[in-house]
Amino acid sequence: TLAEVLEQPAARVGAMLDQIAAGYTASGHGFELRRAAGGWRLYTRPEYAGYVERFVLDGQSVRLTQAALETLAVVAYKQPVTRSRISAIRGVNCDGVIRTLVTRGLVEECGSEPESGAFLYRTTTLFLEKLGLNTVDELPPLAPFLPDDVEELSDVTR
């Protein structure tokens, strides 16, 4: 695409990108230019990846989505819990949301269920720090937030 835009032969553009990549490496930049998937991409150098990851993850001020908050609540109150159990409680697939929560360090794998072999998830110490709790036992009780007819509702679903 770059060769087309510059109206230059692809071989010439490729050679120039090779030179640019070599220059970045020689200069000790924190990133490198590499061939990838038939094109070129910028990547963080492995020796700097930890710093970039901390910057990106620690600097996240983006709020969690409603789906992420609901999933996090299920994990917090039902831990250790499998993805399938979380999905059953929420009524929707939670795979992507769990990946997001794991990436943000709020949820982690903590073994597997003996019967099915499914991964179990629990909240992390970062979760407790963000909520200002010492343990999950300090989470508020759910009973005040449940509808008065919760027993009737659960009988209907059986």
Side-chain angles (χ1 to χ4, degrees):
T1 302
L2 186 58
E4 287 176 22
V5 169
L6 296 174
E7 298 177 347
Q8 296 291 318
R12 181 172 185 214
V13 172
M16 292 301 297
L17 289 170
D18 284 331
Q19 287 179 1
I20 292 170
Y24 289 158
T25 299
S27 298
H29 286 290
F31 58 89
E32 59 189 10
L33 182 61
R34 283 192 269 166
R35 289 182 186 267
W40 291 82
R41 298 208 67 171
L42 289 170
Y43 289 91
T44 303
R45 288 206 185 281
E47 60 267 29
Y48 300 114
Y51 300 109
V52 173
E53 183 177 339
R54 267 188 299 202
F55 174 77
V56 170
L57 294 179
D58 288 347
Q60 284 184 349
S61 61
V62 178
R63 295 178 183 213
L64 293 174
T65 64
Q66 185 69 31
L69 289 171
E70 290 172 8
T71 302
L72 188 56
V74 171
V75 173
Y77 282 95
K78 295 288 191 179
Q79 62 187 312
V81 63
T82 63
R83 284 184 193 207
S84 61
R85 181 72 179 132
I86 297 166
S87 293
I89 291 169
R90 290 197 57 237
V92 294
N93 186 305
C94 68
D95 292 352
V97 178
I98 288 289
R99 278 192 299 275
T100 298
L101 293 172
V102 168
T103 300
R104 291 206 179 173
L106 298 170
V107 170
E108 64 186 1
E109 287 181 14
C110 64
S112 60
E113 191 174 57
E115 301 84 21
S116 67
F119 290 114
L120 292 168
Y121 293 90
R122 68 177 175 208
T123 55
T124 63
T125 53
L126 178 62
F127 167 80
L128 294 173
E129 290 171 13
K130 295 283 184 186
L131 267 66
L133 303 172
N134 287 322
T135 69
V136 291
D137 297 333
E138 294 179 5
L139 286 168
L142 285 178
F145 302 104
L146 296 174
D148 293 333
D149 58 350
V150 72
E151 292 300 320
E152 295 170 16
L153 291 172
S154 66
D155 289 342
V156 170
T157 59
R158 287 185 195 159

